[in-house]
Amino acid sequence: MAKKKMTILDFKKYKEEGRKFAYVTAYDYTTASIVNDSECEIILVGDSLAMVMLGYNTTVGVTLDDMIHHIRPVVKGAPNTFIVGDMPFGSYNVSPEQAIASANRILMETNCDCVKLEGGVDMAPTIERMVKAGIPVMGHIGLTPQTSTSLGGFKVQGGTPESAKKLIEDALAIEKAGAFSIVVECVPNAVGKALKEALKIPVLGIGAGPDVDCQVLVTQDLLAMYGDFKPKFVKHFAKIREEMVKGLNQFHAETLSGEFPSPEYCFNKEVEIPKLY
Ligand code: KIV
């Protein structure tokens, strides 16, 4: 039986009931349809597609058009899964008006279920305006890849009492602004736990320890598809890259030996060929 699609109201309900859920990425139709067949409740079409799909070094070069191009097929491929469209760098940091216009494009041109954007206290007034304009917003704090240069690189955040306090202030401001959930990336377990306890909205943790409401991972990471790079918080739940290389090598070997294509893979109809050569 196909799984039932989660709704915005379920986020609050799951939190109240202490029910955990799982959140992964997809950037294309085929992967989205595979996630749709799984029990995972949420798909993020993240701007991490910059590295995973496009081979860029950071997320900063991805445009709003790029995001829309990737969100659309994911929505088509995963009708039973809640879909989050990531807002890329430069599409919401100019003004609340710019953020509303960009989010409107994402929602109207892709039909995804909400948008996600990075930022804490400073972004709260923008989130408030977006929510008032009818846009469902998921926040994202902690390690925020779009501004990782300002954070001094891809580092664990909230490792001191002062920085942990700042993260809690960021999270409370975003909740107050009306976000319905919040991603927290790369923080010590104690900070993940404190945020879960401090907030009424679900805390969706990636590298935030076990005491959050939901675990998030990049699909290509958790299936070991993405080369040798493995952040500490990633567990490999399957070895898909190895399987793919094995399959490709088998195809190569059978092509060279002539074993492929055998009769069952051929159109074996007799045709009289006119003599033209
Ligand atoms: O773009 C992305 O994949 C993300 C996750 C790291 C949460 O924002």
Side-chain angles (χ1 to χ4, degrees):
M1 200 177 68
K3 71 185 172 197
K4 191 168 168 289
K5 181 169 169 160
M6 200 171 168
T7 69
I8 292 265
L9 297 181
D10 290 327
F11 281 79
K12 192 160 174 278
K13 189 165 156 250
Y14 283 22
K15 170 97 185 187
E16 285 164 4
E17 292 172 355
R19 179 170 164 185
K20 291 203 173 191
F21 49 104
Y23 181 10
V24 297
T25 57
Y27 316 105
D28 66 277
Y29 175 84
T30 302
T31 312
S33 73
I34 293 168
V35 177
N36 199 60
D37 283 351
S38 79
E39 301 295 330
C40 292
E41 286 88 350
I42 317 176
I43 291 179
L44 169 66
V45 189
D47 61 358
S48 51
L49 73 85
M51 288 86 108
V52 180
M53 289 283 112
L54 306 175
Y56 298 172
N57 290 331
T58 73
T59 58
V60 173
V62 170
T63 65
L64 190 54
D65 286 339
D66 290 334
M67 290 309 303
I68 288 169
H69 178 75
H70 284 267
I71 299 167
R72 256 196 214 126
V74 170
V75 170
K76 182 121 193 283
N80 307 109
T81 312
F82 187 92
I83 302 194
V84 182
D86 217 0
M87 297 189 70
F89 183 74
S91 72
Y92 60 94
N93 57 358
V94 174
S95 64
E97 288 72 24
Q98 186 215 19
I100 291 170
S102 301
N104 282 349
R105 272 201 66 198
I106 292 177
L107 296 175
M108 292 168 72
E109 293 180 35
T110 73
N111 207 22
C112 70
D113 298 294
C114 76
V115 296
K116 173 172 88 58
L117 55 82
E118 299 179 5
V121 168
D122 293 345
M123 203 44 73
T126 298
I127 294 178
E128 192 171 344
R129 286 280 306 280
M130 294 170 79
V131 172
K132 281 200 175 125
I135 296 161
V137 178
M138 176 180 284
H140 183 161
I141 61 165
L143 173 57
T144 43
Q146 291 175 8
T147 45
S148 60
T149 313
S150 318
L151 299 174
F154 285 78
K155 289 191 174 140
V156 177
Q157 303 295 305
T160 62
E162 302 75 45
S163 57
K165 177 171 172 277
K166 168 82 172 73
L167 281 180
I168 293 170
E169 286 165 357
D170 282 339
L172 288 170
I174 287 166
E175 177 177 69
K176 189 153 176 266
F180 70 93
S181 59
I182 184 165
V183 170
V184 177
E185 182 166 353
C186 250
V187 298
N189 294 4
V191 175
K193 184 166 186 282
L195 287 168
K196 182 196 164 163
E197 287 167 4
L199 298 183
K200 291 186 189 65
I201 57 174
V203 173
L204 322 169
I206 173 163
D211 301 311
V212 288
D213 300 293
C214 165
Q215 293 294 331
V216 189
L217 282 179
V218 168
T219 296
Q220 279 78 357
D221 283 343
L222 78 93
L223 298 179
M225 294 171 77
Y226 186 59
D228 294 331
F229 176 68
K230 187 179 110 42
K232 179 176 167 55
F233 57 79
V234 169
K235 176 175 174 183
H236 287 160
F237 291 85
K239 297 231 184 300
I240 299 303
R241 189 184 182 96
E242 252 176 54
E243 279 302 305
M244 289 174 86
V245 172
K246 215 167 101 190
L248 290 164
N249 281 341
Q250 187 65 23
F251 169 60
H252 181 257
E254 291 189 22
T255 296
L256 267 56
S257 70
E259 190 180 334
F260 179 83
S262 46
E264 69 263 44
Y265 301 108
C266 297
F267 303 102
N268 297 308
K269 187 173 188 295
E270 285 306 323
V271 182
E272 198 177 316
I273 306 295
K275 271 235 166 298
L276 298 177
Y277 58 92

